């Protein structure tokens, strides 16, 4: 028994006439009659009574046609499920980001993508200090907002966001009330840094070398944002960070002041080169649209 035969059966029942059913099915009437006889032979039942005006379903035929309709509806659901996957309307999308990500764009993109694809589970994955690019390469995430500089070898990357940098100070610091500070104004302050990120990344964030060619005064190390901010709040050191961190990591014992002479943070949306993933393509489309409006 084939789905094609069941479709023939339902159409014959709906039309009550082999000729009209054949026209609707785009087959010849002899071919349709032959298919019906084969199905009746396979089932061992007469499904239709023939008469001069067409056909009428037998009692057995009515039951069989009813089951055929249910089977065809279920088959359509199977096809629809496969098509949803092909269109990227179902599944799991893992989105990587670091700290405050790309500011509001990160959260807005996930929310808008989820609205457009309600059958997809969007899972945010947070990483520390330049780890998001590596997470893409080793398959821990499907797509990520990557802070530059970063090793983008093997990755497709599109610039989607930039924002100025700020300096994080303890609330009692003498510069805490300033409208902005320059790098050299905090040149003697110990600066938070991490051993977990590549040196290029650390030096970029530290503005090393400084405008006068000097090196920063290195302060304590940290493994994540929370450790960094705890030490800044204690007065152990200061930190340089993206402006969005002031919004996402606000606390009363910290103050964020614009760093007026440091180049801005640039954020790319990245995924592995050659990835043919409809979910990634759909997410990238959403991010492009939202970034264009910003």
């Amino acid at each position: 028994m084939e789905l094609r035969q069941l479709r023939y059966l339902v159409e014959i029942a709906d039309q009550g006439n082999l000729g009209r059913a054949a026209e609707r099915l785009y087959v010849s009437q002899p071919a349709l009659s032959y298919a019906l006889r084969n199905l009746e032979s396979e089932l061992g039942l007469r499904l239709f009574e023939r008469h001069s005006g067409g056909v009428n379903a037998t009692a057995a035929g009515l039951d069989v046609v009813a089951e055929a309709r249910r089977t065809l509806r279920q088959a359509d659901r199977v096809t629809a499920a496969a098509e949803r996957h092909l269109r990227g309307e179902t599944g799991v999308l893992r989105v990587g980001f670091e700290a405050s990500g790309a500011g509001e764009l990160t959260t807005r993109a996930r929310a808008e993508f989820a609205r457009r694809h309600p059958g997809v589970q969007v899972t945010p994955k947070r990483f520390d200090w330049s780890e998001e690019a590596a997470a893409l390469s080793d398959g821990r995430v499907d797509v990520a907002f990557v802070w530059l500089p970063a090793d983008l070898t093997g990755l497709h990357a599109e610039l989607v966001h930039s924002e100025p940098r700020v300096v994080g100070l303890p609330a009692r610091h003498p510069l805490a009330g300033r409208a902005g500070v320059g790098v050299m104004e905090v040149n003697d302050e110990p600066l938070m840094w991490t051993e977990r990120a590549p040196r290029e990344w650390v030096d970029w964030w530290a503005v090393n070398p400084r405008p006068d060619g000097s090196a920063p005064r290195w302060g304590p190390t940290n493994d994540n944002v929370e450790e960094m901010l705890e030490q800044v709040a204690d007065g152990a050191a200061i930190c340089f960070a993206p402006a969005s961190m002031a919004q996402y990591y606000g606390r009363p014992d910290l103050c964020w002041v614009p760093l007026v002479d440091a180049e801005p943070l640039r954020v790319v949306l990245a995924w592995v080169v050659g990835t043919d993933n409809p979910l990634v393509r759909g997410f990238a489309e959403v991010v492009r649209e939202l970034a264009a409006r910003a």
Side-chain angles (χ1 to χ4, degrees):
M1 185 185 303
E2 301 175 357
L3 289 176
R4 173 181 57 84
Q5 293 173 299
L6 299 185
R7 295 191 192 282
Y8 287 179
L9 188 63
V10 168
E11 193 63 40
I12 293 170
D14 287 346
Q15 299 301 324
N17 182 282
L18 287 173
R20 288 196 298 272
E23 290 178 2
R24 294 288 299 270
L25 293 165
Y26 299 101
V27 299
S28 68
Q29 184 171 335
L32 185 59
S33 297
Y34 179 76
L36 177 58
R37 287 196 301 271
N38 280 348
L39 183 57
E40 288 178 325
S41 176
E42 180 180 345
L43 296 176
L45 291 168
R46 191 167 185 81
L47 301 176
F48 293 95
E49 296 288 352
R50 281 73 167 173
H51 55 81
S52 59
V55 295
N56 289 326
T58 64
L62 290 173
D63 284 344
V64 170
V65 168
E67 292 299 330
R69 292 185 193 278
R70 279 190 282 270
T71 300
L72 292 172
R73 284 197 296 270
Q74 188 60 43
D76 289 341
R77 292 179 62 186
V78 171
T79 301
E83 289 176 347
R84 286 196 299 272
H85 279 277
L86 289 172
R87 294 193 300 266
E89 295 176 357
T90 187
V92 177
L93 180 68
R94 300 165 301 167
V95 180
F97 66 99
E98 178 174 336
S100 54
E104 293 183 359
L105 177 62
T106 309
T107 305
R108 290 172 57 215
R110 290 202 308 268
E112 176 61 18
F113 180 83
R115 185 189 68 80
R116 298 185 190 184
H117 304 271
V120 178
Q121 177 184 337
V122 184
T123 304
K125 298 286 185 180
R126 176 186 174 276
F127 298 98
D128 292 304
W129 306 156
S130 193
E131 190 183 2
E132 65 273 29
L136 278 170
S137 298
D138 62 26
R140 282 176 286 166
V141 292
D142 305 300
V143 63
F145 292 95
V146 180
W147 286 5
L148 298 182
D151 181 3
L152 300 175
T153 303
L155 302 178
H156 172 86
E158 300 179 12
L159 182 65
V160 296
H161 177 72
S162 65
E163 60 181 273
R165 282 191 275 177
V166 295
V167 55
L169 305 166
R172 60 185 179 277
H173 194 282
L175 297 175
R178 291 277 296 275
V181 297
V183 172
M184 296 305 296
E185 292 183 87
V186 292
N187 199 43
D188 294 331
E189 299 278 358
L191 182 70
M192 294 295 307
W193 66 291
T194 181
E195 297 176 309
R196 293 187 55 185
R199 191 67 207 192
E200 178 190 9
W201 190 94
V202 172
D203 286 339
W204 186 87
W205 275 104
V207 192
N208 183 32
R210 295 291 168 81
D212 66 351
S214 64
R217 179 186 171 193
W218 299 108
T221 62
N222 67 90
D223 290 336
N224 54 59
V225 174
E226 288 74 18
E227 289 181 6
M228 179 182 77
L229 297 185
E230 191 66 24
Q231 294 188 79
V232 172
D234 285 344
I238 66 170
C239 70
F240 293 162
S244 57
M245 194 172 287
Q247 176 181 353
Y248 287 88
Y249 290 91
R251 44 189 287 178
D253 50 2
L254 286 178
C255 181
W256 300 97
V257 179
L259 195 59
V260 297
D261 55 354
E263 65 177 302
L265 166 66
R266 296 178 299 138
V267 183
V268 296
L269 184 72
W271 59 89
V272 174
V273 169
T275 298
D276 186 22
N277 183 330
L279 300 182
V280 171
R281 293 198 304 270
F283 187 76
E285 181 180 348
V286 168
V287 172
R288 292 184 197 110
E289 290 179 12
L290 295 179
R293 299 176 198 163

